[in-house]
Amino acid sequence: MTIREALKKNSKLEIELLLAHALQRPKEFLFMHPGKKMTAAQVSSLAGLVKRRQRGEPAAYLLGYKDFCGLRFCVDKRVLVPRPETEWVVEKAAEKLKNLKAQNPHRQVRVLDVGTGSGAIIVSLAKQLGSTDFKYLASDVSAAALQVARRNARTHKVKIVFCRSNLLKAVRGSFDVLIANLPYGWKAWRNNTAAETAGLRFEPRKALFTGEQGLREIRRLLEELAARPSRPLWAYIEFDPRQKNGISSLIKKTLPQARLKFYRDLAKHWRYAEIKIG
Ligand SMILES: C[S@@+](CC[C@H](N)C(=O)[O-])C[C@H]1O[C@@H](n2cnc3c(N)ncnc32)[C@H](O)[C@@H]1O
């Protein structure tokens, strides 16, 4: 089979990425050498990748990476594949951190990413904002996820203090901004066979699902925040659109003085909570 034939046989855009991966060449190679004959090993490697993809395994796991905020992150089964909608959180938090720095020119502004997974959020922030004015902290309950996050921080040459912690339990000291993209899936997600959710069964359950209609980790986080002697000034939380009212009640109950604003994602679904705590 030639490269051209392999591309024709599998029409989806992803095939280009899978084929480049099987050939261990950049994507441009495919279009510069469409008539090149593939070796038997390459044909069989491509067939294996296509089969796994057809079974619903996320392309990011097959390729070993996912692009997020313009950076390439190494991902595997130890971590959730970072989603495009989470890029908003990075953008919003970066804006807020820059404002806080302008108001506090003589000290480092501290940001914590709870449930960091691959480290996509905190590494992107550190890459955008640099290490002079800001201190970056990230935690996860999963030691395996932290290995991936540390590797991504090394790859992108950013300094982040990682800590294994069940929510805030092992997190020491104060921080100005908190970001949380914790698991917020629940039963209703499990039987969803839509193309975009078919890959969920390959991702770590603990990264996706939790109790109380997906609100358990967020509720616990808010309670832990309320009980801390020094609270952050701002928090950003990503959630499922169906949880908006639930989140609103939880915040009113746990942090009654806080000011709350919700934002929609690009698909116009409610997706983010911005909480002014301090
Ligand atoms: C939805 S994933 C998000 C990963 C990453 N923040 C992102 O946006 O791609 C949730 C992450 O939270 C972690 N997690 C789940 N429960 C946790 C808990 N109680 N304390 C800390 N981390 C937790 C999971 O291990 C997983 O890495």
Side-chain angles (χ1 to χ4, degrees):
M1 189 189 322
T2 64
I3 289 178
R4 185 186 295 111
E5 284 159 358
L7 283 171
K8 249 195 205 150
K9 201 165 153 228
N10 306 275
S11 58
K12 287 201 183 109
L13 189 70
E14 273 171 2
I15 187 64
E16 295 171 8
L17 293 172
L18 296 182
L19 182 49
H21 188 68
L23 300 177
Q24 299 193 314
R25 300 278 193 170
K27 218 170 84 178
E28 295 69 39
F29 180 89
L30 311 180
F31 306 101
M32 285 161 70
H33 307 279
K36 188 169 166 53
K37 194 120 173 68
M38 290 159 64
T39 65
Q42 288 168 336
V43 172
S44 127
S45 156
L46 176 66
L49 291 170
V50 169
K51 204 166 170 190
R52 285 169 64 191
R53 185 69 193 111
Q54 280 167 345
R55 286 196 193 127
E57 191 165 341
Y61 286 165
L62 302 178
L63 301 169
Y65 67 81
K66 176 76 183 175
D67 292 336
F68 179 88
C69 282
L71 299 172
R72 183 149 293 185
F73 287 90
C74 139
V75 291
D76 60 32
K77 290 186 172 179
R78 291 173 288 179
V79 293
L80 183 103
V81 177
R83 305 296 203 262
E85 58 266 30
T86 304
E87 292 184 350
W88 183 96
V89 178
V90 174
E91 200 183 304
K92 234 13 208 181
E95 226 172 76
K96 188 60 67 191
L97 286 163
K98 281 191 256 179
N99 288 343
L100 287 175
K101 181 61 201 168
Q103 292 159 20
N104 300 278
H106 303 302
R107 69 167 180 94
Q108 270 192 328
V109 173
R110 294 161 59 96
V111 52
L112 169 70
D113 174 23
V114 183
T116 195
S118 64
I121 296 175
I122 200 78
V123 170
S124 302
L125 278 174
K127 205 68 194 160
Q128 284 180 27
L129 302 176
S131 60
T132 319
D133 295 336
F134 302 95
K135 175 133 185 153
Y136 304 95
L137 315 161
S139 68
D140 205 292
V141 74
S142 154
L146 285 170
Q147 287 172 351
V148 178
R150 284 199 174 95
R151 176 175 167 188
N152 281 317
R154 272 197 307 275
T155 303
H156 292 294
K157 298 187 172 54
V158 287
K159 202 172 152 211
I160 289 158
V161 177
F162 288 103
C163 129
R164 185 171 181 203
S165 176
N166 188 345
L167 298 175
L168 302 179
K169 290 203 171 60
V171 177
R172 301 277 161 260
S174 62
F175 38 92
D176 302 282
V177 174
L178 173 129
I179 301 168
N181 183 19
L182 287 162
Y184 55 75
W186 71 103
K187 257 194 194 146
W189 283 20
R190 289 218 173 105
N191 301 324
N192 196 335
T193 51
E196 67 272 27
T197 52
L200 294 182
R201 68 180 193 277
F202 293 90
E203 293 179 283
R205 289 174 77 83
K206 278 199 173 149
L208 284 163
F209 296 107
T210 184
E212 300 170 25
Q213 307 277 313
L215 283 171
R216 194 175 71 120
E217 304 310 309
I218 296 175
R219 173 189 56 76
R220 289 179 49 220
L221 175 71
L222 291 168
E223 287 170 0
E224 288 184 17
L225 268 183
R228 270 178 101 81
S230 71
R231 299 174 184 174
L233 301 168
W234 294 88
Y236 292 90
I237 297 178
E238 187 179 311
F239 60 88
D240 180 282
R242 289 163 285 185
Q243 294 169 334
K244 180 170 173 272
N245 291 341
I247 300 253
S248 181
S249 312
L250 281 174
I251 292 169
K252 280 185 192 135
K253 196 169 148 200
T254 49
L255 297 163
Q257 326 298 9
R259 288 215 319 260
L260 171 63
K261 197 167 171 187
F262 288 110
Y263 292 88
R264 296 174 197 263
D265 61 20
L266 288 177
K268 305 254 184 289
H269 298 133
W270 294 111
R271 179 72 61 192
Y272 320 100
E274 180 186 64
I275 315 167
K276 185 174 187 319
I277 302 172

